[in-house]
Amino acid sequence: WFWPVLAFSALFTVLALTFIQIPIQYGISQGMVSTWDINVLDDWLLLSAIPSVLVSGLVQEGAKMVPVVVWWWHSGKAITPRMGIFIGAMAGAGFGLFEAFWAHSQIFRMGWTTDLFSYGFLGIVAFWERFFTVGFHTAVAALAGYGLAKGKGWQFYLISSALHGFLNWGAVFYQKQYFTVTQLEICVAVIAVLVTAAVLWLRWWKSRDELLAEPVEPVELAPLADSVEIPKPVETGV
């Protein structure tokens, strides 16, 4: 029953990216160009790109949360944190795998062959990036699902969106040539691993409320008559 969450997340996120994210980013770009000179925007690209990267996180993480919220609502707004992590992970993996499939299709269309292995890491950099990006999509959506189950849905949604935008912000550093390709991909991998580790910690960590809610196994005690020898009355002869 969780596979529809994966499929719906992939489809809905792509639609949100096409009809919501890109038009908003285009409007932001046009508004900035009409307000400031293009050279000024380029000089301050690290700051001027922040609205666009934030929009990408807000839209994509919001779209991935739609099937999670539907599941949560259908469950009577009562799911365990672990279930929230699992449903969120399925939603994140759905879009991550679709995006990876699309990116790899573009790579092979451009003529990628095994001859590019001679370039070392640069020959496989696209596959490296998609591997860790799929993990990142899965982890941040799982984090948002955990927050929804804990009654802090919008807070964790904003955290996930900010992490998503932060990851995309690395591309701006590469565009300004502050990062090389290798440095950028290492940053992507480190961020993905750290977020995944945090989610796994939440998966296995039990809060005090969860520990108190666990049923306690009853302890069987031996009958008193079987464990304690009762002394017989002493005959005094009186």
Side-chain angles (χ1 to χ4, degrees):
W1 290 106
F2 294 107
W3 292 109
V5 173
L6 185 146
F8 182 82
S9 172
L11 175 62
F12 192 79
T13 307
V14 170
L15 293 175
L17 188 152
T18 304
F19 296 104
I20 299 177
Q21 176 184 323
I22 294 178
I24 292 177
Q25 289 176 330
Y26 178 78
I28 292 174
S29 176
Q30 291 300 308
M32 287 186 172
V33 169
S34 62
T35 305
W36 293 287
D37 184 81
I38 188 67
N39 294 322
V40 174
L41 293 175
D42 184 67
D43 292 338
W44 293 88
L45 186 61
L46 291 181
L47 292 178
S48 62
I50 289 178
S52 292
V53 297
L54 288 179
V55 167
S56 67
L58 291 170
V59 172
Q60 293 185 29
E61 294 308 317
K64 286 189 289 184
M65 279 298 294
V66 169
V68 182
V69 171
V70 170
W71 188 283
W72 168 75
W73 187 278
H74 180 71
S75 301
K77 300 182 181 180
I79 57 175
T80 64
R82 287 183 180 82
M83 182 61 70
I85 288 175
F86 184 77
I87 300 172
M90 291 292 287
F95 175 68
L97 291 173
F98 182 90
E99 189 181 50
F101 177 79
W102 178 83
H104 289 158
S105 298
Q106 299 298 315
I107 293 169
F108 287 112
R109 179 186 295 181
M110 293 172 63
W112 187 93
T113 63
T114 54
D115 294 337
L116 293 176
F117 282 126
S118 60
Y119 290 94
F121 179 72
L122 294 179
I124 62 169
V125 66
F127 303 100
W128 166 285
E129 178 180 310
R130 283 303 108 193
F131 175 80
F132 286 102
T133 303
V134 170
F136 177 81
H137 278 299
T138 304
V140 291
L143 187 65
Y146 171 85
L148 182 66
K150 294 289 287 184
K152 299 179 180 179
W154 69 270
Q155 294 96 325
F156 276 79
Y157 159 67
L158 291 179
I159 292 173
S160 298
S161 301
L163 289 171
H164 192 139
F166 181 72
L167 185 77
N168 290 344
W169 200 34
V172 184
F173 282 81
Y174 172 72
Q175 185 176 345
K176 292 292 292 182
Q177 298 183 349
Y178 295 141
F179 283 171
T180 64
V181 173
T182 302
Q183 290 172 334
L184 175 62
E185 297 307 326
I186 290 175
C187 288
V188 170
V190 169
I191 294 171
V193 168
L194 289 177
V195 178
T196 302
V199 171
L200 290 175
W201 182 80
L202 291 173
R203 165 65 180 84
W204 293 109
W205 178 74
K206 290 186 178 181
S207 65
R208 179 176 176 273
D209 294 337
E210 289 178 295
L211 290 173
L212 292 176
E214 289 185 349
V216 180
E217 292 289 338
V219 179
E220 294 185 2
L221 299 176
L224 181 62
D226 295 339
S227 59
V228 180
E229 183 178 352
I230 302 176
K232 296 180 180 180
V234 181
E235 297 180 1
T236 59
V238 178

